[in-house]
């Protein structure tokens, strides 16, 4: 693989960039693999990448119904943070965040991780208590956060209105090493690295059935033919339920539409990510200058990648109140993605009733930030057949036992 | 040069002159001008700088598709960035500035990027800036961010207001051109309720400029007649300056009406967001002309042929004196003829087709215009504006055959139907190879709630590009087929492809798309994201199809196989203010007020939002800190008497023969055994087992219970009750009513509480007649009152409900009667501290959605006699019965300090993920003025079995605080004070 | 009683329509099987049972259909308590719930040719075809509300007392001078 | 932005008047039942890509619950019906058979 660098660019410039090779190959599927990963989104590609890098398993295929990175990986608001309350969440999200720190170098692909800092505004006494609790938890979890006062909030984000008529900003939970990254680049970077390790990324290939022999997974049927495999990893976000049904089990998941939007690009005016959970809105500014805004999720099952406009209204009204200057900006682009919501709004990384079939799903509205950690933990689960510490608490059995990982308990929400 | 012609301009009023400001320069225009036409009239061809290379940018189009002419409009609280000059109507005193340059539009430092475009290919950012790690955030990114971003951010709070409006119709027609007006007329004649939206200020669309006749009369006449006819019909509504921004499911359409942008002096909202519910939507959104890809096609002075025509015919403005027309179709000849008619020079019409013998080319030749067929543009000469054009054979590699001096180029690559709205809810497209565009496929239309097609399409939007194709009786010159031209010349060298712009604003070139394909970004979505093609503020209205064609060519596959990107609302950007609507300032969200709110306000209450309610947190006196106020309120209450506005507590009537059975299912307690006139504290769990609400239940009579809920719980719990009654136990005879707001409820609390009530006079409130945990109705001081002997503070306490309308008067009466006893209003914080002193749990503090009553030592409130209650089965699950669950205890710091809020009890070592081990956490922590020390409650592993043990709680700074495990009831453990 | 005050005594606004708080109004919620309670309603409230989403009479004297098992009886503020008593007496053998909710509500009149448009800015209701004698329970901006036509150009709006100020401000904002859509 | 007709009051209500309530026709599982059955009842909800039966409450309206039969892919609504029933009415099932042959899988 030709390495990317400024020098490579300069060299290529001299010959009109004729020399750049494909970022990833597009091979036909082989007859069989050690591991087949269904889903070439960020989580699936990261799973494959760490299978190779951490466990030396490289006879791997990643099967994608559409185009790699074409699902929620390319539809989110790119926020990266790990200031979660519950230990298992903080562990996997912080693992992910710390991997993001060096991901550009690891992949030799600039995913533009920008640790610009994430703040969650506290706008009620209850939220203050919630975030102080989170700050205390994070202190023990090795997650660097602090509860800051209104003045610090204003310093970090001058366009915030501290004293809106309804919810004055009383403080914020501040994670200085949280931030954003270029979402597509994360999928592309992993894909390029996987391809370079000899893995097959097979796009435009839909799984039509999952084959098993006496309780063990044996292979899959696809629109590009049958593929045998010893182990199967289902990592398909919004469509987890459909794949689970093929594998013969049901998931504690419902698929709903989540919306996001961006404004037209303007010169830099906001250097941090701000989440205002009392009024339900969050916003950051992309490197292109667009204000990137996360909307709400519908409460009903939906596979259309279209949400209802009133969620956008609620979000925008909240943000106009919090950042009055955006009132005269314009919404440029609006879109939706299908997210799968579990019973406790926390993800599932788990063995399944089908032997050697593993599932990674249920990231709800917060999956992007978890990609490297999720891939890391999933690779371990698939390679060893048993969850490691990162995945241990995220098993399917927790719903039967009543052992939930509920993040909504702090004032925080799972964006 | 570009200038105002001596005559012409069907939309402008030359009798009046308007002054407007452009980068501190005052210029002149006329009513009817757009900012773009006025700028051209003043020879302002350079209007901005591109996103990436900061190349000079001129006006390309005359409508919403304009990618270049983006300006900052207005000042201060009315400043708006990224406005399209082509759609901004001119008014007297308009202030506009160009964007994305430093120090000036003419001289922009950023333009150095343009000198080395070879060094900035597609995906450039992904391949560089990787090392050293810290540099991205601190060095590279800031530079890139500053260079990008186009317009300036507004500085001030928006001075304008916005609003929403709900409209319903049988047929919504989007687009007021000939096709739209015609469709509206047909629907209207059938008696349908019709709404027509037109995004511009004018009816008729392009037809008045392009010409043609209907029944022998100029099409303009037909337009006027039809508009008049429609306006006369009661079942028709017409709106101009109102764009259908997006189509959503089940016939929902968002309309974006601009009311004062063109007339700042006008009263009323700036924008109105229409929420339209249409039985059927007809999109008559027209078509957009495509640029041609030739080297230097981005130099100011290169414009769409239709735009050149518009500026001449609509505004009497000539974009140049010598206009070379370059085309692959007949339509562009109209432009040549218009230029000539305006008395300007057309050095040549450059037609990529081998021959051009249609009616329009014939007319051009007849007018003496030179037509060069089989020819293309090798290169445009000029820097900040066009100075000339080099011609070549379209079939060749671009060797210059001749050079024509000119100052404007009118290009036409054919037309693309505007299919955005059709596609928003899933309408499918088919590729028309003959005419080289995607058009809606009526057989795959979007469907509505009934599964029937919900959108149809007419006119140019459907691919019918000529007047006769749209309207019976219409006539226009016959047009011969175009010849798809995606690159000019066909064999253009790499050097040329490097200068062929597809996306003018984002600086995406033919070579970039080809590189993306070469590197495996084969999906159109990949290419779009990798090159940013079509992601600029124009959303690729000009660039998408050209880019798609280049990509398909690079992949060696037909265009339909490559497919299009998804079309998403809005069609053009709409203001955030309009989306937020009326909801700002005081009416941003509902604010719920109790009947006594005004008194609290007058008393200088410090407010705490609780849900949508606002409750007094405390009542600080002059110079008093909140903390001092809270302490004073507590001391006054414990030693004398306090007054609490408890009106926000939920009050729900539950009535019927099966009410007792129902209450037994709702609460963990046995409620059916409660005697009339008695009160009982109850717990409510979710079906998932977690404690969700608590409160005092009163049995009013055999049939009727009154359930008190938390402030936040009233609506939620009422809905919870109705859900179970309507969807599970619908055969049970129970009715509920949420009467929360019927009553003002006031707590009279403290040893002197009874004295106050007795002074007020009325019903007997003695311990004998009205003992603890009972209830009675009567009058107090002449008020009809319901008195509850319940206590959340541990003191002698009466909660008294009077009709809300009398709440204020009753509060005043109590204050007056209590004056001699030093009666003191207290707020939520004093309430919280006093309940904590008593070890009473607080929903939201001790509970957080993961806590079950058993964790809180509330087993006494869980009936063992009942087979079932909501949440009981859930609480039988292994994790819920786990003896390792943390249990509620009291906590006392050794030094009397207050434990930090949210602190965790640390245990030895770390867990499997290397996180510090924990064995509990603080749930409530306060300074208790009663005890003169910090007190707290918390959930601790095996807590109740570890009385007097000392454990450490962490601080955010990494330290710990020692605390002793104690009984959670810090004050009056025997409960003597409340039971008197 | 003399101490009783409505939510926003005397609140009024004039614009493209006038908005006025209507003072104390008697209201009784009556839940029960409509067939079983019809006679009692006729006797006590002197009104026939209204059909689905209909209102007979109006403020001061009327009955409105709220849901398949709920009616709202409108009466003089002073009479509400006695009407509850009478209903309980009449219906003592029928499963029902009658409650005085007069104090839990606020009532506004929106008056003028643009009254329908003021409502249409806030409620997802087709005001162009909204009929006389119809009552609509819906969402007004961010709170529940109900309204009916009290005259050709008059709409009576009922909301919860605690949000009376919010609803008044909403209506006043929507009735601001120069904001008429001119649609109806 | 869905439009569902509330069978209780007859209003064709837009989504903002309604509150979604998840899968319809669940059978409540109480004390003494198997863990697996309880998990199934509370968490293992149907999540079909296609025909779905669900609960809605006309929250900003008559306050009543009702059921809807809806396609989660096209959002087509096959019908709404009373909440006081343990299974979809025949006529709606037949309508779906007609429009989505073989949907029962």
């Amino acid at each position: 693989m030709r390495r990317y660098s400024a020098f490579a660019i300069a060299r290529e410039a001299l010959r009109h960039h004729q020399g750049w090779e494909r970022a990833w190959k597009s091979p036909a599927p082989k007859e069989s693999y050690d591991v087949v990963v269904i889903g070439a989104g960020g989580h699936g590609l990261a799973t494959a990448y760490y299978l190779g890098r951490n466990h030396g398993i490289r006879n791997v295929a990643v099967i994608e119904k559409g185009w790699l990175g074409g699902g929620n990986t390319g539809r989110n608001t790119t926020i990266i943070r790990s200031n979660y309350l519950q230990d298992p969440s903080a562990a996997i999200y912080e693992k992910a965040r710390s991997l993001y720190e060096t991901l550009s170098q690891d992949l030799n692909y600039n995913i533009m991780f920008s640790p610009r800092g994430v703040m969650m505004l506290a706008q009620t006494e209850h939220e203050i208590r919630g975030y102080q609790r989170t700050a205390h938890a994070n202190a023990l979890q090795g997650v660097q956060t602090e509860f800051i006062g209104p003045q610090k909030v204003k310093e970090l984000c001058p366009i915030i209105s501290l004293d809106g008529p309804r919810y004055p900003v009383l403080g914020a939970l501040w994670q200085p090493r949280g931030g954003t990254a270029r979402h597509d680049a994360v999928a592309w970077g992993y894909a390029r690295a996987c391809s370079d390790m000899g893995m097959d990324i097979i796009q435009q290939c839909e799984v039509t059935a999952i084959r098993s022999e006496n309780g063990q997974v044996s292979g899959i049927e696809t629109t590009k033919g049958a593929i045998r495999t010893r182990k199967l990893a289902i990592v398909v976000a919004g469509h987890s339920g459909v794949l689970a049904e093929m594998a013969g089990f049901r998931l504690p998941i419902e698929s709903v539409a989540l919306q996001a939007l961006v404004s037209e690009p303007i010169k830099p005016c906001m250097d941090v990510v701000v989440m205002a959970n009392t009024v339900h809105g969050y916003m950051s500014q992309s490197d292109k200058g667009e204000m990137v805004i996360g909307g709400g999720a519908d409460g009903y099952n939906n596979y259309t990648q279209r949400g209802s406009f009133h969620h956008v209204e609620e979000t925008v009204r909240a943000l106009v109140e919090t950042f009055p200057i955006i009132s005269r900006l314009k919404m440029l682009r609006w879109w939706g993605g299908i997210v799968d919501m579990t019973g406790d709004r926390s993800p599932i990384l788990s063995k399944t009733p089908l032997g050697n079939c593993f599932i990674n799903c249920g990231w709800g509205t917060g999956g992007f930030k978890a990609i490297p950690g999720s891939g890391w933990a999933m690779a371990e689960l698939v390679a060893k057949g048993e969850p490691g510490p990162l995945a241990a608490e995220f098993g399917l059995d927790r719903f039967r036992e009543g052992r939930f990982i509920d993040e909504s308990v702090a004032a925080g929400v799972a964006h | 040069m570009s200038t105002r012609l001596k005559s012409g301009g069907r939309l402008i009023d030359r009798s009046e002159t308007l002054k407007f400001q452009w980068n501190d320069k005052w210029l002149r225009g006329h009513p009817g001008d757009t900012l773009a036409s006025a700028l051209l009239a003043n020879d302002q061809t350079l209007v901005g700088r591109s996103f990436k290379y900061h190349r000079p940018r001129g006006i390309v189009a005359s409508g919403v598709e304009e990618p270049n002419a983006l300006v900052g409009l207005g000042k201060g609280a009315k400043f708006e960035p990224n406005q399209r000059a082509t759609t901004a109507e001119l008014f007297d005193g308009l202030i506009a500035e160009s964007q994305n340059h430093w120090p000036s539009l003419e001289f922009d430092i950023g333009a150095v990027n343009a000198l080395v475009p070879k060094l900035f290919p597609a995906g450039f950012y992904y391949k560089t800036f990787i090392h050293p790690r810290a540099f991205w955030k601190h060095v590279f990114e800031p530079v890139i961010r500053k260079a990008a971003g186009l317009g300036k951010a507004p500085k001030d709070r928006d001075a304008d207001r916005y609003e929403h409006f709900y409209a319903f119709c049988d047929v919504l027609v989007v687009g007021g051109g000939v096709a739209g007006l015609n469709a509206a007329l047909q629907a209207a004649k059938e008696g349908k309720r019709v709404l027509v939206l037109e995004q511009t200020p004018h009816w008729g669309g392009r037809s008045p400029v392009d010409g043609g006749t209907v029944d022998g009369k100029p099409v303009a006449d037909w337009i006027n007649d039809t508009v008049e006819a429609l306006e006369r019909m009661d079942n028709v509504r017409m709106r101009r300056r109102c764009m259908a921004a997006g189509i959503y499911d089940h016939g929902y359409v968002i309309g974006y009406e601009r009311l004062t942008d063109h007339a700042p002096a006008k009263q009323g909202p700036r924008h109105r967001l229409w929420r339209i519910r249409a039985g059927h939507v007809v999109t008559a959104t027209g078509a957009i002309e495509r640029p041609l890809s030739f080297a230097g096609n981005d130099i100011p002075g290169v414009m769409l042929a239709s735009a050149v025509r518009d500026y001449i015919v609509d505004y009497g403005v000539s974009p140049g004196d010598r206009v070379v027309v370059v085309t692959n179709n007949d339509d562009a000849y109209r432009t040549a003829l218009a230029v000539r008619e305006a008395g300007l020079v057309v050095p040549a019409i450059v037609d990529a087709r081998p021959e051009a013998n249609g009616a329009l080319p014939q007319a051009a030749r007849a007018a003496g215009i030179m037509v060069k067929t089989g020819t293309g543009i090798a290169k445009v000469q000029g820097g900040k504006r066009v100075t000339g054009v080099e011609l070549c054979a379209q079939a060749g590699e671009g060797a210059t055959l001749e050079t024509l001096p000119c100052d404007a180029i009118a290009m036409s690559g054919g037309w693309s139907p505007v299919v955005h709205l059709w596609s928003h809810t899933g309408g499918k497209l088919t590729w028309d190879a003959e005419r080289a565009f995607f058009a809606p496929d009526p057989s795959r239309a979007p469907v509505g709630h009934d599964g029937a097609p919900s959108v149809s399409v007419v006119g140019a939007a459907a691919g019918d590009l000529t007047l006769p194709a749209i309207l019976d009786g219409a006539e226009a010159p016959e047009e011969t087929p175009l010849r798809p031209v995606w690159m000019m010349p066909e064999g253009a060298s790499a050097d040329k492809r490097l200068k062929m712009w597809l996306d003018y604003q984002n600086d995406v070139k033919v070579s970039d798309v080809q590189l993306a394909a070469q590197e495996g970004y084969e999906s159109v979505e990949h290419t779009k994201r990798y090159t940013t093609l079509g992601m600029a503020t124009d959303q690729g209205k000009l660039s998408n199809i050209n880019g798609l064609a280049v990509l398909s060519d690079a992949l060696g596959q037909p265009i339909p196989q490559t497919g299009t990107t998804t079309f998403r609302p809005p069609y053009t950007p709409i203001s955030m203010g309009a989306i937020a609507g009326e909801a700002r300032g005081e009416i941003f969200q509902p604010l719920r007020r109790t009947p006594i709110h005004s008194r609290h306000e007058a008393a200088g209450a410090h407010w705490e939002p609780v849900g949508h309610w606002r409750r007094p947190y405390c009542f600080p006196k002059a110079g008093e800190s909140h903390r001092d106020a809270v302490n004073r309120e507590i001391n006054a209450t414990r030693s004398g008497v306090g007054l609490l506005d408890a009106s926000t507590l939920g009050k729900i009537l539950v009535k019927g023969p099966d009410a007792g059975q129902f209450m037994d299912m709702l609460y963990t307690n046995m409620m059916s055994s409660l005697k009339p006139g008695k009160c009982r504290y109850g717990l409510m769990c979710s079906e998932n087992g977690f404690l969700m609400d608590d409160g005092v239940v009163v049995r009013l009579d055999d049939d009727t219970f009154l359930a008190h809920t938390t402030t936040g719980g009233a609506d939620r719990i009422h809905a919870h009750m109705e859900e179970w009654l309507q969807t599970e136990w619908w055969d049970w005879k129970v009715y509920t009513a949420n009467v929360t707001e019927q009553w003002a409820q006031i707590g009279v609390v403290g040893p002197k509480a009874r004295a106050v009530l007795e002074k007020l006079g009325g019903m007997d409130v003695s311990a004998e007649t009205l003992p603890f945990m009972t209830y009675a109705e009567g009058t107090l001081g002449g008020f009809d009152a319901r008195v509850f002997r319940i206590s959340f503070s541990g003191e002698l306490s009466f909660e008294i409900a009077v009709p809300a309308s009398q709440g204020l008067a009753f509060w005043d009466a109590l204050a007056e009667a209590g004056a001699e006893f030093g009666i003191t209003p207290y707020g939520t914080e004093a309430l919280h501290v006093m309940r904590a002193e008593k070890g009473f749990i607080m929903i939201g503090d001790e509970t957080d959605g993961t806590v079950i009553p058993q964790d809180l030592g509330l087993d006494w409130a869980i009936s063992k006699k009942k087979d079932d209650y909501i949440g009981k089965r859930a609480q039988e699950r292994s994790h819920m019965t786990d003896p390792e669950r943390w249990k509620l205890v009291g906590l006392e710091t050794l030094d009397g300090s207050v434990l930090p809020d949210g602190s965790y009890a640390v245990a030895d070592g770390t867990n499997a993920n290397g996180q510090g081990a924990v064995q509990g956490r603080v749930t409530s922590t306060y300074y208790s003025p009663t005890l003169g020390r910090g007190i707290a409650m918390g959930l601790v592993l095996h807590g109740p079995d570890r009385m007097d043990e000392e454990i450490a709680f962490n601080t955010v700074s990494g330290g710990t605080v020692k605390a002793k495990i104690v009984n959670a009831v810090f004050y009056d453990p025997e409960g003597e004070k409340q039971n008197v | 009683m003399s101490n009783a005050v409505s939510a926003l005594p005397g609140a009024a606004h004039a614009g493209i329509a006038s908005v006025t708080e209507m003072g104390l109004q008697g209201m009784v919620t009556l839940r029960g099987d409509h067939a079983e309670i019809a006679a009692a309603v006729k006797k006590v409230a002197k009104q026939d049972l209204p059909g689905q989403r209909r209102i007979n009479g109006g403020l001061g004297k009327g009955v409105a259909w709220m849901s398949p098992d709920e009616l709202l009886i409108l009466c003089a503020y002073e009479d509400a308590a006695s009407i509850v008593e009478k209903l309980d007496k009449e219906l003592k053998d029928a499963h029902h719930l009658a409650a005085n909710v007069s104090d839990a509500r606020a009532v506004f009149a929106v008056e003028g040719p643009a009254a329908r448009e003021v409502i249409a800015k806030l409620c997802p209701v087709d005001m162009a075809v909204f009929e006389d004698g119809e009552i609509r329970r819906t969402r007004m901006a961010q709170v529940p509300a109900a309204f009916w036509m009290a005259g050709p150009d008059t709409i009576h709006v009922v909301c919860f007392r605690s949000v009376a100020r919010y609803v008044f401000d909403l209506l006043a904002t929507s009735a601001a001078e120069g904001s008429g859509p001119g649609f109806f | 932005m869905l439009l569902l007709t509330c069978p209780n009051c007859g209003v064709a209500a837009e989504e903002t008047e309604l509150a979604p309530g998840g899968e319809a026709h669940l059978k409540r599982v109480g004390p003494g039942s198997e863990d697996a059955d309880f998990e199934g009842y509370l968490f293992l909800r149907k999540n079909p890509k296609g025909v779905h039966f669900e609960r809605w409450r006309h929250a900003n309206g008559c306050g009543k619950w009702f059921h809807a039969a809806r396609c989660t892919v096209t959002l087509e609504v096959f019908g709404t019906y009373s909440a006081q029933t343990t299974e979809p009415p025949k006529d709606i099932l037949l309508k779906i058979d007609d429009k989505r042959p073989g949907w029962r899988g």
Side-chain angles (χ1 to χ4, degrees), chain B residues 199-221:
Chain B
Q199 64 186 356
T200 73
H202 311 288
W203 298 111
R206 290 205 53 77
S207 300
V209 174
D210 294 351
T213 62
V214 183
D215 304 328
K217 292 187 300 178
V219 64
D221 296 2

Side-chain angles (χ1 to χ4, degrees), chain A residues 125-147:
Chain A
E125 297 293 330
H126 184 258
E127 256 185 325
I128 293 179
R129 287 196 293 276
Y131 287 141
Q132 278 172 343
R133 177 179 168 190
T134 306
H136 281 88
N138 290 164
L140 294 166
Q141 293 157 342
V143 176
Q144 187 199 346
T145 58
E146 63 175 307
F147 188 85

